[in-house]
Amino acid sequence: MIHLSKRYWLLYCTLSAWNCCACKVVISKDRIAALEWQATKSAADVIAARENVMCEIERKGKEFWSNGSAQNWLDSAEPTVRKVVESVNGPLLKYLGEKAMHADLECIELLRRGAPLYGQLETCGNGPVKDSIAIGEIDELKANCRESNVQLIKKLRNDPWEQELHNLALEDAKLGRMTWPEPVSEEQIRSVRLNQRFGVEQGLKPNGDVKVRAVDNMSWGYSSEVSRPKKRPRQSVNGCSAIPEKIMHHHVDDLAVAIKLFIQLMACIPGLIKADVKAAFRRIPLLPAHRWAAAIAYKLGDEVMVACHNACMFGASSSVYNWERIGELITVIAIKWLGICVYRYVDDFFAPERAESMEHAMQCIARLVRAVLGHDAIENRKLDCGLSLVVLGVRCQLSTAGLCLFPEPSKVQKWAAGIRDALKNGILCAGASQKLAGRLSWAQTHLFHKLGRAMLRPIFDQRWTRSGKYRKCYV
């Protein structure tokens, strides 16, 4: 144990006092081992050791491509699946996962054979097992395709971002992640399950244009039977999906615990790093037999346009679970191979690091993800590091005086605008509610005294909505 100087004692005591509260966050043994390994070396030695490991990983990846192993792995996949994962190095993922002794190596098969969209998903051991729940019947969902599609088409309205939605569909079609959009036909109305697509504004692109995310309401369901308002819509794709385990997302609480141990071991203020995987869900192909339920519909002018997904989409419950398995594998590899105490919230990686080595650690995570998922998996603009950094929407500032956390003002304005739009229109669709709840999840952490826990519950519950309408509550 390193003796702490007065310079860092106040910060350590601040984190210790917070940790004595009701917070039950426990740092994993692997992350403790990663920090203890760093503490035995200088920053320069850590950088040199990680660089050697990364060079070995990249050399092994090139070897799998040159000897045909990676190509043979791709060729064993169904053609449409292969198109989605054409830059994935399956043998490298397996090699790294085996060496890291990861328990869920079966998740790699999701990339080769396709991931399920509905049904009882398989247990993987990454989280506590949930109680079983009743789900809708797939045969019934398939049988009433025409009836449901006719009702959906009647309810479709022109989206304010309809042209952007169409452009996004065209971009995905070029990448093989969905079929080319076309005007709806009678054959499609009879044979596939249509789900509503809508746009959600997400700020500005680097060039100043508005960034729009396409969200697919996979909770859409039509039934001729009258159901109770709070009854889960089983006659929908999400209603026919059962996630067997609780998904354990990391939050700023976890980061604070890691920072405390970091200071205790290394007697210095850590920097922070983060990296964001681009289009994480869309990198996982769908099981070919499930594509009939993955069709989406939106209006473009007077035309109803239809396309079918070949990859996991934003808005499906199964997409979150499928990516969670792949994301956890990459996280374990980063911890055990590179000795980085990395955490992850969906597709966002973040970790504490020495100021001298934080940029190299950030680049190592990017190089690792690119080596296994493809060169475009992480964009440079989605990498950042520093003593002050926005992590999961919260500005984290570290100094000898303590750890200061507050919602990033620019993001607060964006969140508030989204809430105002929902209140004005009286609509908060399932996919948009999940996104908003995720953005505001910092409010239910112990660091913020869980003040937002009760207020976020109605937003989370909107994921079961069919129409997107919500009930107003007057206080």
Side-chain angles (χ1 to χ4, degrees):
M1 186 68 66
I2 293 178
H3 176 70
L4 292 178
S5 66
K6 291 182 180 179
R7 183 180 180 189
Y8 306 113
W9 185 249
L10 179 59
L11 174 56
Y12 178 76
C13 288
T14 301
L15 290 168
S16 297
W18 161 79
N19 202 36
C20 291
C21 298
C23 181
K24 298 179 181 179
V25 173
V26 177
I27 187 168
S28 69
K29 291 180 180 179
D30 290 336
R31 290 184 174 87
I32 292 174
L35 289 177
E36 289 177 340
W37 172 79
Q38 292 179 42
T40 63
K41 299 178 180 295
S42 67
D45 289 340
V46 168
I47 291 173
R50 285 178 178 157
E51 184 62 27
N52 288 336
V53 171
M54 269 314 309
C55 287
E56 171 62 19
I57 290 174
E58 291 168 339
R59 184 197 65 76
K60 198 71 177 178
K62 291 177 181 177
E63 179 184 316
F64 283 130
W65 283 113
S66 61
N67 67 19
S69 298
Q71 192 61 50
N72 291 338
W73 182 85
L74 282 175
D75 291 341
S76 65
E78 187 261 355
T80 306
V81 170
R82 185 187 184 284
K83 178 65 176 175
V84 176
V85 297
E86 61 184 1
S87 61
V88 172
N89 194 327
L92 179 61
L93 260 178
K94 184 178 180 181
Y95 170 78
L96 297 175
E98 286 177 343
K99 292 290 185 181
M101 294 183 292
H102 185 55
D104 183 29
L105 291 177
E106 280 298 309
C107 70
I108 302 171
E109 284 298 289
L110 298 180
L111 298 170
R112 190 181 65 85
R113 71 169 187 262
L117 176 61
Y118 51 73
Q120 181 70 46
L121 306 185
E122 65 180 352
T123 304
C124 63
N126 289 337
V129 176
K130 296 167 61 177
D131 294 334
S132 59
I133 58 172
I135 60 175
E137 294 290 336
I138 299 299
D139 291 341
E140 188 177 345
L141 191 71
K142 202 166 188 175
N144 76 346
C145 272
R146 191 180 194 287
E147 185 180 14
S148 175
N149 292 342
V150 168
Q151 293 300 320
L152 174 62
I153 291 172
K154 285 181 180 179
K155 293 177 180 291
L156 275 182
R157 300 291 182 269
N158 291 88
D159 192 281
W161 306 108
E162 62 181 44
Q163 187 58 56
E164 285 77 7
L165 290 179
H166 186 61
N167 293 339
L168 289 171
L170 293 176
E171 290 175 14
D172 270 348
K174 290 177 183 177
L175 297 172
R177 294 172 179 171
M178 68 193 312
T179 61
W180 290 96
E182 59 184 359
V184 64
S185 66
E186 180 59 33
E187 172 61 25
Q188 290 168 327
I189 291 176
R190 289 197 309 268
S191 60
V192 299
R193 180 83 179 189
L194 297 180
N195 303 277
Q196 179 191 10
R197 166 164 281 206
F198 58 93
V200 177
E201 185 178 345
Q202 288 198 301
L204 299 177
K205 297 179 182 178
N207 63 4
D209 294 340
V210 175
K211 182 182 178 182
V212 176
R213 177 191 284 274
V215 179
D216 301 312
N217 184 10
M218 307 306 287
S219 293
W220 158 261
Y222 171 77
S223 175
S224 56
E225 298 178 4
V226 177
S227 59
R228 298 190 302 275
K230 289 188 178 181
K231 186 177 180 182
R232 184 183 182 190
R234 295 180 187 172
Q235 289 310 306
S236 68
V237 175
N238 282 344
C240 291
S241 305
I243 296 176
E245 298 176 359
K246 183 177 181 181
I247 297 174
M248 307 298 290
H249 293 309
H250 295 129
H251 295 275
V252 287
D253 284 344
D254 301 274
L255 181 60
V257 172
I259 290 172
K260 177 193 170 188
L261 181 58
F262 184 101
I263 296 169
Q264 188 177 353
L265 290 172
M266 281 169 264
C268 65
I269 296 176
L272 300 173
I273 64 173
K274 69 175 183 179
D276 183 4
V277 179
K278 179 183 177 183
F281 292 179
R282 305 298 280 153
R283 295 179 182 277
I284 303 177
L286 281 176
L287 200 62
H290 288 197
R291 290 181 199 144
W292 67 270
I296 55 98
Y298 59 95
K299 292 198 75 174
L300 184 65
D302 296 330
E303 289 277 12
V304 174
M305 304 298 291
V306 172
C308 292
H309 285 289
N310 297 324
C312 292
M313 71 294 293
F314 188 84
S317 302
S318 57
S319 297
V320 181
Y321 187 70
N322 292 331
W323 166 254
E324 185 65 21
R325 297 179 66 185
I326 301 296
E328 183 62 17
L329 171 59
I330 295 172
T331 303
V332 169
I333 292 170
I335 294 171
K336 291 191 174 182
W337 277 79
L338 297 168
I340 300 175
C341 181
V342 65
Y343 290 93
R344 181 180 53 83
Y345 185 94
V346 191
D347 54 1
D348 293 324
F349 295 89
F350 53 96
E353 269 290 328
R354 281 192 181 103
E356 300 91 336
S357 61
M358 62 183 177
E359 186 171 356
H360 185 262
M362 175 189 72
Q363 291 295 340
C364 283
I365 291 177
R367 288 162 66 185
L368 171 63
V369 175
R370 289 164 182 163
V372 295
L373 296 184
H375 66 278
D376 65 337
I378 290 186
E379 297 178 322
N380 287 331
R381 65 185 183 87
K382 290 294 187 178
L383 300 171
D384 204 358
C385 60
L387 291 175
S388 175
L389 196 65
V390 178
V391 178
L392 305 181
V394 176
R395 171 67 67 174
C396 303
Q397 290 183 344
L398 283 159
S399 69
T400 54
L403 171 63
C404 180
L405 301 107
F406 55 91
E408 177 67 8
S410 61
K411 292 186 178 292
V412 169
Q413 293 178 9
K414 187 164 63 175
W415 300 333
I419 293 171
R420 282 194 294 268
D421 287 344
L423 292 173
K424 178 181 178 181
N425 300 324
I427 297 289
L428 183 61
C429 294
S433 71
Q434 292 177 66
K435 189 69 177 176
L436 179 60
R439 288 170 172 170
L440 300 177
S441 61
W442 54 266
Q444 60 182 350
T445 61
H446 284 277
L447 282 169
F448 288 90
H449 306 289
K450 292 196 170 185
L451 291 175
R453 193 173 186 182
M455 290 175 277
L456 285 177
R457 176 49 53 193
I459 301 177
F460 277 110
D461 288 343
Q462 277 293 108
R463 68 187 183 275
W464 305 125
T465 182
R466 298 186 187 191
S467 64
K469 294 181 180 179
Y470 58 84
R471 294 184 300 161
K472 293 186 178 180
C473 178
Y474 300 94
V475 180

